[in-house]
Amino acid sequence: MTSLTWFLLGVVVTLAGVLISSRISGFPAQRPADYAGQTPAFDLRTHLSGSIKCEGVIYGPLGRVASRFVGDFDAHWDGNRGVMKEHFLYDTGTTQNREWRLEIGNDDRIKAEADDVVGTGQGRQEGPSVNLTYTIRLPKEAGGHVLNVTDWMYLTPNGVIVNRSQFRKFGIKVAELVATMRRVDTV
């Protein structure tokens, strides 16, 4: 074999190792069962209910902050079915609205739908965490790309929710979101 062949083989093996490693030990490797029995217990009906303030950043594919935002959410539940309306204001001055329609099964599995979500998102609440996976279609002004999303929300002891989401296309991470959510007491 030539030096070029050995080099290309080394590149392929390295890339395969990185991909396998990230699936085994990285963010995508988490499972709801990893958080079973931990406290405080996260229940969407309790912790994502009423008025909620969200603040966060979106990182681009190279790890630099691509966007900053604030959001105002309003969530209401009727038993195991809920609607969460989100209004986002980005650092560019643009706004975005989304309405999630959520359903929690008796086994704590979650079904989630929104107008920009392709099909139905699936997830689970377990211990102090909520996991949700879905496919989203970005608006045309953002390229109209269809991305696979993995959302993890973690309830902190003081009730603040930390949200980390990764967006992937063809299995490659193209963006990441980190945000906090906290209930706002209305007077």
Side-chain angles (χ1 to χ4, degrees):
M1 283 203 254
T2 68
S3 297
L4 179 61
T5 305
W6 280 109
F7 173 75
L8 292 175
L9 181 61
V11 168
V12 168
V13 168
T14 300
L15 289 174
V18 167
L19 183 63
I20 291 169
S21 174
S22 73
R23 299 287 182 200
I24 293 172
S25 63
F27 180 78
Q30 296 179 85
R31 301 288 174 256
D34 296 341
Y35 302 99
Q38 295 181 24
T39 59
F42 193 158
D43 187 327
L44 289 175
R45 294 162 292 209
T46 301
H47 298 100
L48 284 182
S49 182
S51 295
I52 300 160
K53 179 60 90 175
C54 178
E55 296 145 333
V57 295
I58 299 172
Y59 299 92
L62 299 178
R64 291 187 176 94
V65 173
S67 183
R68 295 167 287 126
F69 63 89
V70 294
D72 293 303
F73 302 171
D74 186 46
H76 295 283
W77 293 85
D78 182 12
N80 286 349
R81 293 179 188 257
V83 173
M84 185 166 70
K85 295 180 181 182
E86 302 173 331
H87 174 75
F88 295 97
L89 173 62
Y90 293 91
D91 57 348
T92 60
T94 59
T95 62
Q96 179 186 21
N97 294 306
R98 175 179 293 118
E99 180 179 292
W100 284 102
R101 296 168 299 279
L102 303 161
E103 183 176 347
I104 302 173
N106 292 332
D107 59 356
D108 286 329
R109 294 195 186 278
I110 303 164
K111 292 182 183 178
E113 296 179 338
D115 292 342
D116 57 352
V117 171
V118 179
T120 301
Q122 303 291 322
R124 182 173 177 81
Q125 53 186 25
E126 185 80 47
S129 72
V130 169
N131 170 240
L132 192 61
T133 57
Y134 54 94
T135 302
I136 193 168
R137 182 178 309 279
L138 297 179
K140 287 182 183 173
E141 56 272 12
H145 298 281
V146 175
L147 304 174
N148 295 319
V149 182
T150 301
D151 269 349
W152 277 96
M153 292 178 273
Y154 309 95
L155 182 63
T156 66
N158 69 350
V160 172
I161 298 164
V162 177
N163 181 201
R164 182 178 178 198
S165 303
Q166 288 189 349
F167 302 80
R168 295 179 180 272
K169 185 160 186 145
F170 306 121
I172 299 168
K173 183 173 75 169
V174 296
E176 184 164 351
L177 175 149
V178 175
T180 60
M181 293 177 270
R182 57 186 162 75
R183 290 185 60 180
V184 178
D185 294 327
T186 56
V187 179

